[in-house]
Amino acid sequence: MKKILLYLWIITIVVNGLLAQELRYKNRDMVLSLVGDWNFKKEDWEKVDSVYKKDKEIVLKAINQFLCIIYDIDPSLQQDKEIVLASLEKSGCGIEFADKNMTDNKELMLGVIHEKPIAFDFISDRLKKDKDIVLKYLAVAPYRGYYLEDVIVNIDPSFLKDKKFIEEALKEDIELLPYVDENITNDSAFIEYLIKKTGHGFAYATEEQKNDRKLILEALNHYNSDALEYANSKIKKDKEIILKAVKKDSNELFYADESLKCDREFAKKLIDANVYIIDNLCDELRNNKKLMLYALDKNELIFNYIGDELKKDKSLILHIAKEDSDVIEEMDESLKNDREFIKEIIKFRPWNVIQKLNKQFLDDDEIVAYLAQYDYDALKYASKRFGQDRAFVKKVLKKQPFAIDYIDPKLQTDPTIYLPVIKASGYGLAYATDKEKNNKVLVMEAVTRNSNALEFASQKLKDDKEVVLMAISSGSFGGELEYASTRLKKDKEIVLEAIKKDGTAFKYADKSLKEDREFVKKAVGISADVLKYGSKKFLKDKQTALLAIAQDDDIFEYLDNSLKKDKEFILEALRVANTHTGEDSEDRAKSKILSEILGNSESIWENIDKNLTKDKVFITQAIEKTGYGLEYATPEQRANRALVLNAIKRYPLALKYADKKLKDDKVLVLEAVKGDGRALEFASNRLKDNKSVLEKAIANRGSAIYYASKRLEDDETLIIKALRNNPSLYTFEESDKDFVLKLLKADIDVIDSFNLALKNDKQFIDRCINETGYGLEYATPEQKKDRAFILKALAKNFTAFYGVDKSLKNNKELLLTALANKKTISCCGMRYDSSYLFRYHDYYFGRELYNDKEFIKEALKIQPNIFPYIREDFKKDKEILETIEEIKHPLWKKIFTPLNILLVFLFGYWWYEAKKRRKSK
């Protein structure tokens, strides 16, 4: 009887879930909300009730999501000009419904053909003879699945005889060449011009051209040149030419002389040029272990191309498995069935492995038990019997709560199984009873640990403000708002909290808030993404748009076209694009770095009316007021020192567009590199050889050393300064060991920049850990579990905690030892103390200790700076606030206040004077 009731209960839940899904497509408000979601797909539209496929507002909103749905709407709307135009602009669909004005609109048809080349059949006869239209058609159609010969049939034959047109067309698609008029392909001067411009045309070249070394070298500046295919044997033995060819395309080695494919010394140079050439080396070299290790250091993905003998080499495979588990699928079949070797591999790589093992190991007790400790997916792929074993499941769930999704359904609904999971991780509420889903204490506990648990709470608790706020504050993306009640989706405080996590959460807010101008203004001040999901009227609202642009200029793309043509608005938009509000100091610093690298106005310039980029007066105004726009300036403007200096102060990379003489102006270049060290790339060669200029550039951006002159690029002091700013600039090899230790001792963490051989050099890794604390992530599995060894590393470096074995990630002693380390490390121009571990707790130790209040109190006493990174509810907890108060104002500080010290001094002085007077009497 119990079984029958259980099955009926499960069926009821499934049916209710399906009905709820179906009802979403039958309610107008819900449909409007759905079509406004960026995740809404064409297959979702097919589920929408036919009534709403006649609703113009809904149809337009769906079309504005770039969906090609015009063929699946009511026929009456297919004739609506606004809908047809919107469909053509957004997805290119609906050309069959366009009127003559649309099919004769060049700008519109260029966009439509770009999306749907078949539209060429429907455009006006006038446009079919338009050069730009035909070029677009030829450029796009072959890449959208159309055969080139079918495309050629559609265009006017006169185009294939027009030399100037052919020049343009061949830049887009060289495959057009065989269809060109013979008078053109027989013109040797034209073929030479074509080769220089595109790298192609040797099939039609003269014998003299095919063997012209200078011409071939010029052709190889282009990708996929056909120069080597038609060259003579002498050219195919020319090492300089072969090297240049493979830099662009590894397959070019196929045409090289066979002797070069077996030249070991030359092969190393080829690998440096393009590691993928190994597929074209001779078998002898592809089975050369030392050479293949050299190649694998550059890219583990090329394992599939190495020789068959090396795919049986256990030491080589173990070498690679530490970095890339895909090697298991590509190694020799004999090793895939070698149980002892598989056990050895999983010791190094216990996660994301089980699905790559052969079937017999999915039923292996020892292997599955080991992997299940580290990877919750293990039970998904393992034999079903493991998920039915109660004792085994309980043991696994203690370490991998997400594995509850893959256990037997009977166990999933067992309270002794799911309740401990909910309390420990917040996961598993989906399997609880309705009564438990309505238990506020349990649900609060669940959403605190896993914000998405709100989805499975009762309707009553989804309408509880405290529960919903806790879920949102515990989450990362604000998407928990989707599960809140309709009433709470109208609650401004709740919606704002969700937006603080991620502006896209606004799509789940009630329509009334999306229409509320004051609320939307406040919301876009937190996240520009809000504007995408608010009422369309705000896309025309200048004040609201400017607030959004101040957050993220990418939002400019979504604004109404009227604003994209408004000069005054655009100038103001360019000005505010550099401001960032609603961020903490560190995020603001990161925003500044990003704006310096990318230029905050990039999206604005890409989306403004193109006529404005040709307006000289507007460009001058833009540069003077905002610093942006130099790339659209005239030669005279680019040579104007004052104008360029103004641009560089606001956007350092504008140096790229300055006149050549100004790129050699030391004052200008120093101004640029102080703002963004990468501007050094655009400085003159003379200034790239100036050490003071380089030091300024490196101080701002470590990667600036890439642009140093040959004389300075190997300067050790400059390299160290650069690495302090960016430790991942170089790959270090065995020959760099002494220099690497010097860097690690200076707290420049270059461990992740070791090559594969160095990461697997046990002796050197041990030395790094013992002397600096860095490198624990590359220690042996035994060392990662050795508490004494770990404690020694943590005493030297708190970041060593990352390398600790997963089984010890929740060890209080180890984490407290790491937090007690007073060292600060530098990264990307910023300094961090051990509170860094809490800021990125998911990366370092997960959520178990993060959710342990008693541990947090203990941790705060050791490292008070973790307070900004603890849970939001903990920040308001009375006991934790008392702990903070004790830390800030310990008893000795309360006793030894300035007033108390003064009183003690005065009392002492009085006592001394009194004693003195008594003696004198």
Side-chain angles (χ1 to χ4, degrees), residues 663 665-674 677 679-680 683-684 686-700 704 712 718:
K663 290 178 180 181
D665 184 318
K666 187 175 178 180
V667 175
L668 272 178
V669 171
L670 277 171
E671 187 67 39
V673 299
K674 278 193 292 183
L680 186 66
S684 67
R686 181 181 73 88
L687 293 179
K688 286 177 182 177
D689 194 48
N690 185 302
K691 192 167 183 176
S692 64
V693 172
L694 201 63
E695 283 176 333
K696 289 286 184 187
I698 288 170
N700 178 274
L712 294 178
L718 290 175

Short mmCIF file of all heavy atoms in Angstrom, two decimals, residues 663 665-674 677 679-680 683-684 686-700 704 712 718:
data_model
loop_
_atom_site.label_atom_id
_atom_site.label_comp_id
_atom_site.label_asym_id
_atom_site.label_seq_id
_atom_site.Cartn_x
_atom_site.Cartn_y
_atom_site.Cartn_z
N LYS A 663 53.86 59.38 -32.25
CA LYS A 663 54.20 58.10 -31.62
C LYS A 663 55.66 58.08 -31.15
O LYS A 663 56.07 57.18 -30.42
CB LYS A 663 53.93 56.94 -32.57
CG LYS A 663 52.45 56.70 -32.83
CD LYS A 663 52.23 55.57 -33.81
CE LYS A 663 50.73 55.34 -34.06
NZ LYS A 663 50.47 54.23 -34.98
N ASP A 665 56.91 60.91 -29.73
CA ASP A 665 56.92 62.02 -28.77
C ASP A 665 56.94 61.41 -27.36
O ASP A 665 55.95 60.84 -26.90
CB ASP A 665 55.67 62.88 -28.99
CG ASP A 665 55.64 64.12 -28.10
OD1 ASP A 665 55.99 64.00 -26.91
OD2 ASP A 665 55.25 65.19 -28.60
N LYS A 666 58.06 61.55 -26.65
CA LYS A 666 58.22 60.87 -25.36
C LYS A 666 57.16 61.29 -24.35
O LYS A 666 56.63 60.46 -23.60
CB LYS A 666 59.63 61.13 -24.81
CG LYS A 666 59.93 60.31 -23.56
CD LYS A 666 61.38 60.51 -23.10
CE LYS A 666 61.65 59.71 -21.82
NZ LYS A 666 63.03 59.88 -21.34
N VAL A 667 56.84 62.58 -24.30
CA VAL A 667 55.84 63.06 -23.33
C VAL A 667 54.49 62.40 -23.59
O VAL A 667 53.81 61.93 -22.67
CB VAL A 667 55.72 64.61 -23.40
CG1 VAL A 667 54.59 65.09 -22.49
CG2 VAL A 667 57.04 65.26 -23.01
N LEU A 668 54.08 62.36 -24.87
CA LEU A 668 52.81 61.75 -25.24
C LEU A 668 52.80 60.26 -24.91
O LEU A 668 51.83 59.73 -24.35
CB LEU A 668 52.55 61.93 -26.74
CG LEU A 668 51.84 63.20 -27.21
CD1 LEU A 668 51.73 63.20 -28.71
CD2 LEU A 668 50.47 63.30 -26.60
N VAL A 669 53.88 59.57 -25.27
CA VAL A 669 53.95 58.13 -25.05
C VAL A 669 53.96 57.80 -23.56
O VAL A 669 53.28 56.87 -23.10
CB VAL A 669 55.19 57.53 -25.76
CG1 VAL A 669 55.40 56.07 -25.35
CG2 VAL A 669 55.01 57.62 -27.27
N LEU A 670 54.69 58.59 -22.76
CA LEU A 670 54.69 58.38 -21.30
C LEU A 670 53.29 58.56 -20.73
O LEU A 670 52.86 57.81 -19.86
CB LEU A 670 55.67 59.34 -20.62
CG LEU A 670 57.13 58.93 -20.60
CD1 LEU A 670 58.01 60.06 -20.09
CD2 LEU A 670 57.33 57.68 -19.74
N GLU A 671 52.58 59.54 -21.22
CA GLU A 671 51.20 59.77 -20.77
C GLU A 671 50.33 58.56 -21.10
O GLU A 671 49.50 58.14 -20.28
CB GLU A 671 50.63 61.02 -21.46
CG GLU A 671 49.27 61.46 -20.96
CD GLU A 671 49.29 61.97 -19.52
OE1 GLU A 671 50.26 62.67 -19.14
OE2 GLU A 671 48.35 61.64 -18.78
N ALA A 672 50.55 58.00 -22.29
CA ALA A 672 49.75 56.84 -22.72
C ALA A 672 50.07 55.60 -21.89
O ALA A 672 49.17 54.93 -21.39
CB ALA A 672 50.00 56.56 -24.20
N VAL A 673 51.36 55.28 -21.72
CA VAL A 673 51.72 54.04 -21.02
C VAL A 673 51.44 54.12 -19.52
O VAL A 673 51.26 53.09 -18.86
CB VAL A 673 53.19 53.64 -21.27
CG1 VAL A 673 53.42 53.39 -22.76
CG2 VAL A 673 54.18 54.66 -20.74
N LYS A 674 51.40 55.34 -18.96
CA LYS A 674 51.01 55.47 -17.55
C LYS A 674 49.55 55.08 -17.37
O LYS A 674 49.15 54.56 -16.34
CB LYS A 674 51.23 56.91 -17.06
CG LYS A 674 52.68 57.19 -16.66
CD LYS A 674 52.82 58.50 -15.90
CE LYS A 674 52.54 59.71 -16.78
NZ LYS A 674 52.74 60.99 -16.06
N GLY A 677 49.74 50.35 -19.98
CA GLY A 677 51.07 49.93 -20.43
C GLY A 677 51.08 49.33 -21.82
O GLY A 677 52.09 49.37 -22.52
N ALA A 679 49.82 50.42 -24.39
CA ALA A 679 49.94 51.45 -25.42
C ALA A 679 51.35 51.47 -25.99
O ALA A 679 51.59 52.01 -27.08
CB ALA A 679 49.59 52.82 -24.84
N LEU A 680 52.30 50.85 -25.26
CA LEU A 680 53.68 50.79 -25.74
C LEU A 680 53.76 50.12 -27.11
O LEU A 680 54.65 50.42 -27.91
CB LEU A 680 54.55 50.02 -24.74
CG LEU A 680 56.06 49.99 -25.03
CD1 LEU A 680 56.66 51.39 -24.90
CD2 LEU A 680 56.78 49.02 -24.11
N ALA A 683 54.00 52.72 -29.73
CA ALA A 683 55.07 53.72 -29.67
C ALA A 683 56.12 53.43 -30.75
O ALA A 683 56.17 52.34 -31.32
CB ALA A 683 55.72 53.70 -28.29
N SER A 684 56.97 54.42 -31.01
CA SER A 684 58.03 54.24 -32.00
C SER A 684 59.06 53.24 -31.47
O SER A 684 59.16 52.99 -30.27
CB SER A 684 58.72 55.58 -32.27
OG SER A 684 59.42 56.00 -31.11
N ARG A 686 62.16 53.66 -31.24
CA ARG A 686 63.13 54.38 -30.40
C ARG A 686 62.66 54.39 -28.95
O ARG A 686 63.45 54.13 -28.03
CB ARG A 686 63.28 55.82 -30.91
CG ARG A 686 64.29 56.66 -30.11
CD ARG A 686 64.37 58.07 -30.68
NE ARG A 686 63.19 58.87 -30.36
CZ ARG A 686 63.07 59.58 -29.23
NH1 ARG A 686 64.01 59.57 -28.31
NH2 ARG A 686 61.98 60.28 -29.02
N LEU A 687 61.37 54.64 -28.73
CA LEU A 687 60.85 54.70 -27.36
C LEU A 687 60.63 53.31 -26.76
O LEU A 687 60.65 53.15 -25.54
CB LEU A 687 59.55 55.51 -27.33
CG LEU A 687 59.74 57.01 -27.65
CD1 LEU A 687 58.41 57.74 -27.61
CD2 LEU A 687 60.72 57.67 -26.69
N LYS A 688 60.46 52.30 -27.60
CA LYS A 688 60.39 50.93 -27.10
C LYS A 688 61.73 50.47 -26.56
O LYS A 688 61.83 49.47 -25.83
CB LYS A 688 59.92 49.97 -28.20
CG LYS A 688 58.45 50.09 -28.53
CD LYS A 688 58.07 49.17 -29.68
CE LYS A 688 56.59 49.31 -30.05
NZ LYS A 688 56.22 48.48 -31.20
N ASP A 689 62.79 51.20 -26.92
CA ASP A 689 64.14 50.88 -26.45
C ASP A 689 64.57 51.81 -25.32
O ASP A 689 65.72 51.82 -24.91
CB ASP A 689 65.13 51.01 -27.63
CG ASP A 689 66.48 50.39 -27.33
OD1 ASP A 689 66.51 49.24 -26.84
OD2 ASP A 689 67.52 51.05 -27.57
N ASN A 690 63.62 52.59 -24.80
CA ASN A 690 63.91 53.53 -23.71
C ASN A 690 63.47 52.89 -22.38
O ASN A 690 62.29 52.64 -22.15
CB ASN A 690 63.14 54.84 -23.95
CG ASN A 690 63.47 55.90 -22.92
OD1 ASN A 690 63.31 55.68 -21.73
ND2 ASN A 690 63.94 57.04 -23.40
N LYS A 691 64.44 52.61 -21.49
CA LYS A 691 64.15 51.86 -20.27
C LYS A 691 63.16 52.59 -19.36
O LYS A 691 62.28 51.96 -18.76
CB LYS A 691 65.44 51.57 -19.51
CG LYS A 691 65.27 50.54 -18.40
CD LYS A 691 66.60 50.03 -17.87
CE LYS A 691 66.39 48.96 -16.81
NZ LYS A 691 67.66 48.38 -16.34
N SER A 692 63.26 53.89 -19.24
CA SER A 692 62.35 54.64 -18.35
C SER A 692 60.91 54.56 -18.86
O SER A 692 59.97 54.44 -18.08
CB SER A 692 62.79 56.10 -18.23
OG SER A 692 62.71 56.76 -19.48
N VAL A 693 60.74 54.60 -20.19
CA VAL A 693 59.40 54.47 -20.77
C VAL A 693 58.86 53.06 -20.49
O VAL A 693 57.71 52.89 -20.09
CB VAL A 693 59.44 54.74 -22.29
CG1 VAL A 693 58.09 54.40 -22.93
CG2 VAL A 693 59.79 56.20 -22.57
N LEU A 694 59.73 52.07 -20.67
CA LEU A 694 59.31 50.68 -20.46
C LEU A 694 58.93 50.43 -18.99
O LEU A 694 57.96 49.74 -18.70
CB LEU A 694 60.43 49.73 -20.89
CG LEU A 694 59.98 48.29 -21.19
CD1 LEU A 694 59.02 48.29 -22.38
CD2 LEU A 694 61.16 47.40 -21.47
N GLU A 695 59.69 50.99 -18.05
CA GLU A 695 59.38 50.83 -16.63
C GLU A 695 58.01 51.39 -16.29
O GLU A 695 57.26 50.80 -15.52
CB GLU A 695 60.47 51.50 -15.78
CG GLU A 695 61.75 50.69 -15.71
CD GLU A 695 62.86 51.39 -14.95
OE1 GLU A 695 62.87 52.64 -14.92
OE2 GLU A 695 63.72 50.70 -14.39
N LYS A 696 57.68 52.56 -16.86
CA LYS A 696 56.37 53.16 -16.63
C LYS A 696 55.26 52.26 -17.20
O LYS A 696 54.21 52.08 -16.59
CB LYS A 696 56.29 54.54 -17.29
CG LYS A 696 57.12 55.62 -16.61
CD LYS A 696 56.50 56.08 -15.31
CE LYS A 696 57.29 57.22 -14.70
NZ LYS A 696 56.77 57.57 -13.35
N ALA A 697 55.53 51.71 -18.37
CA ALA A 697 54.53 50.86 -19.02
C ALA A 697 54.31 49.58 -18.21
O ALA A 697 53.17 49.17 -17.97
CB ALA A 697 54.99 50.52 -20.44
N ILE A 698 55.39 48.96 -17.75
CA ILE A 698 55.31 47.72 -16.99
C ILE A 698 54.64 47.94 -15.64
O ILE A 698 53.90 47.09 -15.15
CB ILE A 698 56.72 47.11 -16.81
CG1 ILE A 698 57.22 46.53 -18.14
CG2 ILE A 698 56.73 46.03 -15.73
CD1 ILE A 698 58.67 46.14 -18.14
N ALA A 699 54.89 49.11 -15.04
CA ALA A 699 54.26 49.42 -13.75
C ALA A 699 52.74 49.40 -13.87
O ALA A 699 52.03 49.07 -12.93
CB ALA A 699 54.73 50.78 -13.25
N ASN A 700 52.25 49.74 -15.06
CA ASN A 700 50.81 49.75 -15.29
C ASN A 700 50.30 48.39 -15.76
O ASN A 700 49.26 47.92 -15.32
CB ASN A 700 50.45 50.81 -16.32
CG ASN A 700 48.97 50.83 -16.64
OD1 ASN A 700 48.51 50.09 -17.50
ND2 ASN A 700 48.22 51.65 -15.92
N ALA A 704 53.27 44.72 -21.00
CA ALA A 704 53.94 45.73 -21.83
C ALA A 704 55.33 45.28 -22.23
O ALA A 704 55.87 45.71 -23.26
CB ALA A 704 54.03 47.06 -21.07
N LEU A 712 65.99 45.22 -24.58
CA LEU A 712 65.40 45.27 -23.25
C LEU A 712 64.50 44.08 -22.91
O LEU A 712 64.17 43.87 -21.75
CB LEU A 712 64.59 46.57 -23.09
CG LEU A 712 65.39 47.88 -23.11
CD1 LEU A 712 64.46 49.07 -23.00
CD2 LEU A 712 66.42 47.92 -21.98
N LEU A 718 63.56 44.14 -15.44
CA LEU A 718 62.28 44.49 -16.07
C LEU A 718 61.34 43.29 -16.08
O LEU A 718 60.13 43.43 -15.86
CB LEU A 718 62.52 44.99 -17.50
CG LEU A 718 63.19 46.36 -17.64
CD1 LEU A 718 63.45 46.67 -19.11
CD2 LEU A 718 62.32 47.46 -17.02
#
